[in-house]
């Protein structure tokens, strides 16, 4: 279990992020076309998992915008934006913002992604949502970098995540 804060108040997660050097757990998530997507669908590509509570908050939206900007310039890399938001909300946001370089995936069906990655909140006002995290994987799903943002209203360290891809 990890402890992070929401505006200074402690909240806890269901476990720990996968360790650097391990193979990331596979997952089944839903894309904006309501198709089931697995980590194995991105085999052979580097992957950035941009994980957050809800696209409808300022910090979460900012992370999607920031990673979308970077994604267009990354070679052989996919940026996956993952939350419990319904696929419709994610499609609406990215459509309105003109964001086309990220892949939006939802864990709304059974929450198995959050459980496998140990990042669901277990208490507090955001209970059951995902904590703000970034996980970077190589072409074989080996974990290169992880960050669980310690204060949920803060943005992740984009620079460190992108440097892990080099």
């Amino acid at each position: 279990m990890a402890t992070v804060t929401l505006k200074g108040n402690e909240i806890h997660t269901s476990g720990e992020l996968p360790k650097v050097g391990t193979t990331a757990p596979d997952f089944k998530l839903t894309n904006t076309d309501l198709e089931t997507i697995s980590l194995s669908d991105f085999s052979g590509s580097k992957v950035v998992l941009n994980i957050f509570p809800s696209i409808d908050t300022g910090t979460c939206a900012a992370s999607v915008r920031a990673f979308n900007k970077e994604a267009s310039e990354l070679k052989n890399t996919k940026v996956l934006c993952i939350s419990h938001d319904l696929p419709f909300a994610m499609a609406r946001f990215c459509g309105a913002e003109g964001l086309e370089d990220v892949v939006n995936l939802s864990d709304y069906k059974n929450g198995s992604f959050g459980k496998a990655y140990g990042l669901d909140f277990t208490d507090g006002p955001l209970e059951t949502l995902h904590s703000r995290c970034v996980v970077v994987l190589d072409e074989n799903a080996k974990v290169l970098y992880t960050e669980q943002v310690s204060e949920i209203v803060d943005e992740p360290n984009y620079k460190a995540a992108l440097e892990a891809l080099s």
Side-chain angles (χ1 to χ4, degrees):
M1 173 174 65
T3 301
V4 297
T5 58
L6 173 62
K7 298 182 180 178
N9 298 305
E10 282 191 0
I11 50 179
H12 304 93
T13 65
S14 59
E16 300 289 334
L17 292 175
K19 300 288 183 213
V20 171
T22 64
T23 300
D26 198 7
F27 54 73
K28 290 192 183 326
L29 296 167
T30 305
N31 71 10
T32 56
D33 292 326
L34 302 179
E35 300 166 328
T36 300
I37 303 296
S38 299
L39 178 56
S40 58
D41 292 328
F42 302 97
S43 181
S45 294
K46 294 177 184 177
V47 177
V48 176
L49 305 177
N50 175 34
I51 307 155
F52 50 86
S54 176
I55 195 74
D56 288 320
T57 68
T59 306
C60 300
S63 74
V64 174
R65 286 185 200 105
F67 276 120
N68 182 79
K69 180 180 177 192
E70 297 295 335
S72 64
E73 304 197 10
L74 299 172
K75 293 183 180 169
N76 193 36
T77 303
K78 303 293 183 190
V79 177
L80 312 183
C81 295
I82 303 170
S83 73
H84 275 288
D85 288 312
L86 291 175
F88 313 113
M90 298 172 93
R92 171 192 41 79
F93 173 82
C94 286
E97 296 270 332
L99 307 179
E100 299 176 348
D101 294 316
V102 294
V103 177
N104 292 297
L105 298 172
S106 176
D107 194 19
Y108 83 100
K109 285 189 177 176
N110 61 21
S112 62
F113 172 83
K115 290 175 183 65
Y117 281 71
L119 50 79
D120 285 337
F121 289 122
T122 59
D123 56 15
L126 301 178
E127 186 175 355
T128 74
L129 296 179
H130 296 331
S131 61
R132 185 175 322 288
C133 302
V134 176
V135 179
V136 178
L137 311 174
D138 73 5
E139 298 90 336
N140 300 307
K142 180 179 158 189
V143 179
L144 300 174
Y145 170 86
T146 65
E147 177 190 11
Q148 185 158 53
V149 179
S150 60
E151 170 54 59
I152 197 68
V153 300
D154 292 342
E155 291 182 57
N157 186 339
Y158 304 111
K159 182 179 178 185
L162 297 170
E163 285 177 352
L165 293 167
S166 319

